[in-house]
Amino acid sequence: MLAGKPSPLGSTVDDGGVNFAIFSAHATQVVLCVFDQSGTKELAQYSLPQCTRQVWHGYLAGAQAGLCYGYRVYGPWEPELGHRFNPNKLLLDPYAKKLVGEVIEHPALYAYEPNGHDPKSLMLDLTMSDTDSAPFMTKCQVVDLNMAHLAPITALNTPLEQTIIYEMHVKGFSQLNPEISPHLRGSFSALGEPASIAYLQQLGITAVELLPVQAFLSEAFLTAKGLSNYWGYNSIGFFAPHSAYLNRGDIFEFREMVSKLHQAGIEVILDVVYNHTAEGNELGPSYSFRGIDNASYYRLNQANPRYYLNDTGCGNTLNLNHPQVLTLVMDSLRYWVQVMGVDGFRFDLATSLGREAYGFDKGAGFFDALAQDPVLSHVKLIAEPWDIGPGGYQLGNYPLAFSEWNDRFRDTMRRFWRGDIGLLPEFAHRFHGSSDLFEHSGRSPSASINFITSHDGFTLLDLLSYQDRHNLDNGEKNRDGHQENFSANYGVEGSTSDKNILACRARQQRNLLSCLLLSQGVPMLCAGDETGHSQQGNNNAYCQDNPLTWLDWQEFDQTLIGFVARLIEIRKAFPALCAQKFIHNSQSSTEPSFAWFSRQGEVMTKSHWSECHNKTLILVLSAPKEYPLQQTEANQPSSGELEPQQALLLMLNADDSAHEFAFPQLATLAPWQCLLSSETAANEDVDATAQYSLMPRSLGLFYGQIYQAGELN
């Protein structure tokens, strides 16, 4: 084996062979293991001959793309000092672009030898195992990344404030779609099929946010119960697409999917997990990082390095304070943008990525690295702004470049429509884009990613059908999943034939979806919420890879789909709903304006806002003519008249009683026109009168033209 080069890391093909390079600061020897094409038979071993600045490297002349390989890494077995080297364990290249074969759960995958020890013994993981793990391990495969034969992917660069996100699972979205060939269902290719794209376009989606698609594994405790990690938040390969989603076994299937979505005007955002890996805590398996250089890749307990810092709740935390680990993450992100063509990332448990030795810091090295990167500084960056470590909840505290999942929007909207008292001020803050959380630091409404539900928790229908979680199928005695969901069943737990309860749940679906898509900020719709999808009350379906989580295309609520499409159409037609900066009550006729009124049509005062039992509200959003919703000859002002502003008026009744609403006394050009009502799923246009009655738990959206923003004050 020749010396090769220390850069780039991973396996790199050229005309003469393949260069291999892998980082390990504490290894004493690194051995490249070559396997046959099936990845089952080990053919040869080559010791990497050179180590340059802690990067071990070698060049295998004559090797080609398709070669299967792994590593055995020698070094000290000293768990008490944080070192867990064991050359009996075959390890994955952190930079592998493709994995082949399956991981087979077996004691050999663990670097320590538990046999013969008391499972409760504190010494359980201190004896090194001498069993070869290669027969039970997935293998890396060399990929030629020469891009000459691939058509370029043009970025769409949809402004964030105009983005409508659809959070979805690659397999769950297409697995039961009868319009897609059975052999394609559940794959990246299925998402690029005309049937999938047509559906997303019908809704009006501008970006799909894919649950983890980087290579992930299932935990042993799940496989022992016949379950699997369906969601994928258990990553092991940050460059490799998850093999089960590849229809042909070609990693560029993912790229083809991105290209087709881009051609349809739909961006691709990846949910990425750089906070922890599938190796778990000190009793977990050795797949890659633990055996390559445990003390570098993971954050360890400084008082006792045998143990991991577990700010993620998943057993370990990646150490982004180490320059090589930070380099790994940055290289991975750039790879998915430059090679695979994606448009942005949602960072799982992002607070972990911003932790320095003293805690979370919005000026952490990872955030600074993103801000200065010429590629990554221009893509969409979304944070899940919490982890379980000290000071882990950081909503509103991320750098300018980030948007954040806004769980306060989620909880407020759920509680308001459930009928909780005293929520009018909080509702207004969230509907307004959460300026109290973001504006002070110079951020815009698009910093708030608004959602009612996500993959994690109840579906929208279940939120309105179940008071309690029903997670027994997960095999954890119903102890897993969120306890407080701000849900209600409206009279019956679960499914029912009661028409009144069904009608109430249908209105509540429309109420919550309306607030999601009419609020300031960036809306994120969870796949299936627009179809009436239920998981039978399971609010933690992370291990349910079966029809419980797959969207049933035969049972779609087409009426609800039409209602959501209408909402998105309105959002796109009235740009003030997608404002680039926070809208306040402007006196200028050239600026959009927000105004709040009581159901009596009076401007809201402090006493109105403090009426804790009041569950009704009116808001008016107006914008100058350059923010048109619709223009016809009939509603154009005559020559010499003041230029009217376009306006949306939203009436909200979260009470369990019907109420009469008075339209605010505004100078209107014509009667208010009803655009939609949650009382009915039909798209009806009706002229409003001086009074408008809203039944319990319902809303109405109206369009009109008013003459001056200042008249709202």
Side-chain angles (χ1 to χ4, degrees):
M1 189 173 214
L2 304 177
K5 300 177 181 179
S7 179
L9 290 164
S11 58
T12 307
V13 181
D14 63 23
D15 292 340
V18 179
N19 191 79
F20 295 89
I22 182 172
F23 158 77
S24 180
H26 299 98
T28 57
Q29 182 184 8
V30 177
V31 174
L32 173 72
C33 302
V34 175
F35 292 80
D36 64 5
Q37 288 297 305
S38 67
T40 57
K41 182 179 180 180
E42 189 167 350
L43 301 177
Q45 294 187 357
Y46 304 91
S47 181
L48 297 185
Q50 294 289 334
C51 182
T52 304
R53 297 181 180 179
Q54 301 179 338
V55 174
W56 298 78
H57 53 93
Y59 183 85
L60 191 58
Q64 298 177 345
L67 178 145
C68 293
Y69 71 101
Y71 287 107
R72 300 183 188 275
V73 182
Y74 292 76
W77 173 260
E78 297 172 339
E80 303 94 327
L81 299 179
H83 300 306
R84 295 176 178 268
F85 294 98
N86 185 339
N88 299 303
K89 309 305 167 184
L90 188 77
L91 305 172
L92 299 175
D93 181 353
Y95 279 75
K97 307 305 188 296
K98 182 180 178 182
L99 302 183
V100 295
E102 302 293 329
V103 170
I104 302 171
E105 182 58 34
H106 191 275
L109 297 172
Y110 298 79
Y112 60 92
E113 182 56 73
N115 295 335
H117 290 272
D118 179 354
K120 297 182 180 179
S121 170
L122 295 178
M123 307 300 288
L124 181 65
D125 64 313
L126 297 185
T127 303
M128 188 171 78
S129 165
D130 60 2
T131 308
D132 184 10
S133 70
F136 312 99
M137 271 294 291
T138 180
K139 312 302 189 299
C140 310
Q141 189 173 66
V142 176
V143 176
D144 185 357
L145 292 179
N146 179 8
M147 306 293 287
H149 64 290
L150 298 174
I153 297 178
T154 303
L156 294 176
N157 297 318
T158 303
L160 186 56
E161 66 273 7
Q162 297 176 22
T163 298
I164 298 166
I165 298 173
Y166 189 77
E167 189 203 29
M168 62 181 295
H169 189 283
V170 169
K171 180 176 183 180
F173 179 75
S174 63
Q175 186 66 21
L176 297 178
N177 188 342
E179 295 187 28
I180 294 177
S181 298
H183 73 284
L184 293 179
R185 296 175 194 169
S187 70
F188 295 126
S189 295
L191 185 50
E193 282 289 284
S196 297
I197 290 175
Y199 178 77
L200 296 171
Q201 289 179 315
Q202 172 193 348
L203 278 179
I205 299 302
T206 72
V208 292
E209 181 176 304
L210 305 182
L211 266 65
V213 299
Q214 295 174 343
F216 60 86
L217 299 173
S218 292
E219 298 87 339
F221 76 89
L222 287 178
T223 56
K225 293 185 290 188
L227 299 171
S228 64
N229 191 315
Y230 172 65
W231 286 350
Y233 292 92
N234 206 37
S235 299
I236 196 61
F238 296 130
F239 293 79
H242 189 56
S243 299
Y245 299 158
L246 296 173
N247 176 58
R248 305 188 306 272
D250 180 356
I251 67 168
F252 292 114
E253 290 175 42
F254 179 91
R255 195 174 186 277
E256 293 170 7
M257 172 202 73
V258 173
S259 180
K260 290 178 180 178
L261 287 167
H262 276 202
Q263 291 171 26
I266 300 170
E267 294 186 315
V268 177
I269 299 170
L270 299 188
D271 196 334
V272 288
V273 187
Y274 296 113
N275 56 79
H276 76 282
T277 78
E279 293 184 307
N281 64 14
E282 67 277 0
L283 299 181
S286 285
Y287 296 133
S288 180
F289 310 97
R290 174 175 283 139
I292 293 171
D293 194 343
N294 185 67
S296 294
Y297 277 108
Y298 293 116
R299 299 184 67 213
L300 305 180
N301 185 324
Q302 294 303 301
N304 188 350
R306 176 184 167 194
Y307 298 102
Y308 297 85
L309 293 183
N310 187 19
D311 293 328
T312 64
C314 301
N316 63 60
T317 306
L318 271 180
N319 181 21
L320 266 70
N321 301 133
H322 192 290
Q324 283 289 348
V325 182
L326 177 60
T327 297
L328 168 73
V329 173
M330 296 296 290
D331 287 348
S332 170
L333 291 169
R334 278 191 296 269
Y335 174 80
W336 288 98
V337 173
Q338 293 180 303
V339 177
M340 293 300 193
V342 306
D343 305 279
F345 304 93
R346 179 264 189 188
F347 295 93
D348 181 62
L349 300 180
T351 296
S352 293
L353 309 180
R355 286 189 179 275
E356 300 289 355
Y358 47 83
F360 178 81
D361 187 344
K362 67 188 298 183
F366 174 63
F367 298 148
D368 288 345
L370 284 174
Q372 62 78 45
D373 190 277
V375 174
L376 301 176
S377 60
H378 298 292
V379 303
K380 292 176 171 64
L381 304 174
I382 301 171
E384 182 184 38
W386 49 77
D387 66 13
I388 69 164
Y393 188 77
Q394 293 293 334
L395 178 64
N397 294 328
Y398 278 73
L400 286 171
F402 275 84
S403 296
E404 304 175 35
W405 269 28
N406 190 344
D407 63 323
R408 287 184 62 179
F409 178 94
R410 174 197 67 193
D411 294 347
T412 298
M413 294 301 162
R414 290 182 177 191
R415 294 181 60 208
F416 176 78
W417 284 109
R418 188 174 67 170
D420 292 12
I421 64 173
L423 285 176
L424 289 188
E426 181 73 4
F427 176 91
H429 279 308
R430 301 311 136 229
F431 196 95
H432 183 245
S434 297
S435 58
D436 57 327
L437 298 175
F438 302 111
E439 190 174 19
H440 64 89
S441 57
R443 299 165 76 186
S444 68
S446 61
S448 178
I449 303 297
N450 299 331
F451 63 106
I452 304 297
T453 69
S454 67
H455 67 277
D456 187 5
F458 280 139
T459 68
L460 179 60
L461 181 58
D462 287 355
L463 181 73
L464 307 170
S465 304
Y466 294 90
Q467 185 70 38
D468 303 304
R469 62 192 177 188
H470 296 264
N471 299 352
L472 286 173
D473 287 346
N474 296 352
E476 299 179 41
K477 299 181 179 179
N478 208 38
R479 293 177 297 198
D480 60 308
H482 300 296
Q483 288 184 313
E484 182 52 81
N485 300 283
F486 305 116
S487 63
N489 62 30
Y490 301 99
V492 173
E493 186 75 352
S495 59
T496 180
S497 59
D498 188 302
K499 293 182 179 180
N500 290 329
I501 294 175
L502 292 174
C504 178
R505 291 175 180 176
R507 287 199 309 277
Q508 290 287 62
Q509 288 180 82
R510 295 192 285 266
N511 290 332
L512 287 163
L513 290 165
S514 295
C515 286
L516 172 65
L517 288 159
L518 297 175
S519 293
Q520 298 290 293
V522 179
M524 185 186 79
L525 179 66
C526 183
D529 280 356
E530 80 284 6
T531 73
H533 176 63
S534 172
Q535 293 175 170
Q536 308 305 312
N538 191 321
N539 77 343
N540 189 35
Y542 76 104
C543 56
Q544 299 296 327
D545 185 3
N546 53 55
L548 183 73
T549 53
W550 304 339
L551 299 189
D552 187 348
W553 290 71
Q554 306 281 28
E555 298 295 328
F556 276 13
D557 184 340
Q558 296 296 335
T559 303
L560 184 59
I561 291 172
F563 185 85
V564 173
R566 171 66 169 157
L567 279 167
I568 293 176
E569 178 186 33
I570 292 171
R571 183 176 182 88
K572 291 180 176 180
F574 198 76
L577 292 171
C578 314
Q580 295 182 357
K581 60 183 180 179
F582 285 101
I583 299 173
H584 296 290
N585 202 340
S586 173
Q587 297 290 328
S588 170
S589 61
T590 62
E591 295 289 334
S593 183
F594 250 116
W596 304 91
F597 300 88
S598 70
R599 72 170 181 267
Q600 292 80 19
E602 300 169 345
V603 174
M604 290 289 286
T605 63
K606 288 184 179 180
S607 62
H608 285 121
W609 288 115
S610 62
E611 292 175 356
C612 67
H613 290 281
N614 182 21
K615 303 171 186 177
T616 62
L617 192 62
I618 298 175
L619 65 93
V620 175
L621 172 61
S622 62
K625 197 172 180 179
E626 56 266 27
Y627 294 84
L629 175 63
Q630 58 189 51
Q631 290 287 340
T632 65
E633 289 187 16
N635 61 28
Q636 291 288 347
S638 302
S639 177
E641 289 184 350
L642 292 172
E643 288 291 314
Q645 289 196 331
Q646 316 295 309
L648 293 178
L649 184 150
L650 182 62
M651 292 179 177
L652 306 161
N653 179 20
D655 205 346
D656 56 7
S657 299
H659 287 288
E660 293 289 326
F661 283 70
F663 284 88
Q665 296 300 305
L666 302 171
T668 58
L669 184 64
W672 291 98
Q673 187 180 41
C674 184
L675 296 181
L676 58 81
S677 167
S678 65
E679 295 182 12
T680 173
N683 299 326
E684 298 178 346
D685 286 350
V686 296
D687 286 338
T689 60
Q691 293 285 326
Y692 193 83
S693 179
L694 280 180
M695 65 188 304
R697 298 188 177 94
S698 63
L699 60 76
L701 179 68
F702 304 84
Y703 168 74
Q705 296 188 53
I706 60 178
Y707 274 106
Q708 195 170 338
E711 296 187 31
L712 297 178
N713 298 288

